[in-house]
Amino acid sequence: MARAMSTSDTITPRDQETKAGPVDGRHPDCTGPLLHAVAGKRPTSELLQLVTILNGRDQSSYAQQILNTAATVRPVEDVAAMVPLLSDDQAADALHAAATQRGVEELARLVTILNDHDQLFYAQEVLNTAATMRPVEDVAAMVPLLGDSPPAHALHAAAAQRPIDELVQLVERLSGSPDATPAAQQARRRLRL
């Protein structure tokens, strides 16, 4: 049976330097299997405890890498539960990673969960990033997934900030959609040039 980590189990920066290389901020990218294992497999409470320890030891870049990886590989329910427990900056960065790297269906589910739990600020963070940074095809695919809900309205408003040529492409995609769902029709009306 695994036991909880205590402060006596931690490695000091000097110990870590001799075992794993420098700890002065000039570290190699640590996105390997260990990071994925920690971010994706550890219980959320232990993950947040590790982030707290790293933040307290001026290792916030490692903490953020773990959080960003967790936001992209953990179930969206875990991500939605985790972000309110983070600092605003760390939550925003993690949600940015999720919004740019997760599948469209997962993003729509994440936004819905955050919205249902009155985490509107975080839902808006995901929508703003997705609407402005994802390919036009992805934004068009999110529209019917969100339906005619407040998150869908927020997605439309954020998408309207795109360059005009991309906005035209988005309206065309929504107009040319074979199923022309009511949500797509509503989005097309909101985005009409």
Side-chain angles (χ1 to χ4, degrees):
M1 172 187 262
R3 67 177 177 82
M5 186 174 85
S6 72
T7 55
S8 65
D9 294 335
T10 60
I11 298 172
T12 63
R14 178 61 59 205
D15 292 340
Q16 187 175 358
E17 184 173 339
T18 60
K19 293 178 184 174
V23 295
D24 59 0
R26 296 179 307 217
H27 52 80
D29 185 23
C30 72
T31 58
L34 179 60
L35 177 66
H36 277 275
V38 169
K41 307 263 189 242
R42 300 299 295 190
T44 305
S45 60
E46 291 179 16
L47 184 69
L48 293 173
Q49 181 182 14
L50 176 59
V51 166
T52 300
I53 291 168
L54 290 170
N55 285 336
R57 294 186 178 216
D58 294 326
Q59 298 293 318
S60 60
S61 65
Y62 287 118
Q64 192 64 57
Q65 286 180 21
I66 290 169
L67 291 171
N68 291 356
T69 302
T72 62
V73 300
R74 291 186 79 91
V76 292
E77 295 79 9
D78 288 357
V79 177
M82 185 174 58
V83 293
L85 303 174
L86 304 173
S87 72
D88 286 342
D89 289 341
Q90 285 184 317
D93 284 351
L95 290 172
H96 177 83
T100 57
Q101 297 177 40
R102 291 196 85 118
V104 173
E105 295 84 8
E106 292 176 314
L107 285 182
R109 198 164 75 243
L110 176 59
V111 167
T112 300
I113 292 168
L114 290 168
N115 194 58
D116 289 348
H117 289 97
D118 294 324
Q119 299 294 326
L120 306 178
F121 173 80
Y122 297 120
Q124 188 66 49
E125 188 72 35
V126 173
L127 291 168
N128 288 345
T129 302
T132 58
M133 302 203 60
R134 295 292 291 246
V136 170
E137 303 83 36
D138 290 355
V139 178
M142 280 187 76
V143 169
L145 296 172
L146 293 173
D148 190 24
S149 64
H153 300 262
L155 178 67
H156 306 155
Q161 305 301 315
R162 292 185 84 118
I164 193 75
D165 60 324
E166 292 178 9
L167 191 54
V168 169
Q169 290 174 25
L170 181 56
V171 170
E172 287 173 354
R173 283 192 176 277
L174 293 171
S175 298
S177 130
D179 56 349
T181 64
Q185 293 170 358
Q186 182 71 8
R188 191 177 63 244
R189 282 193 293 276
R190 283 195 187 95
L191 296 170
R192 181 97 38 205
L193 302 174

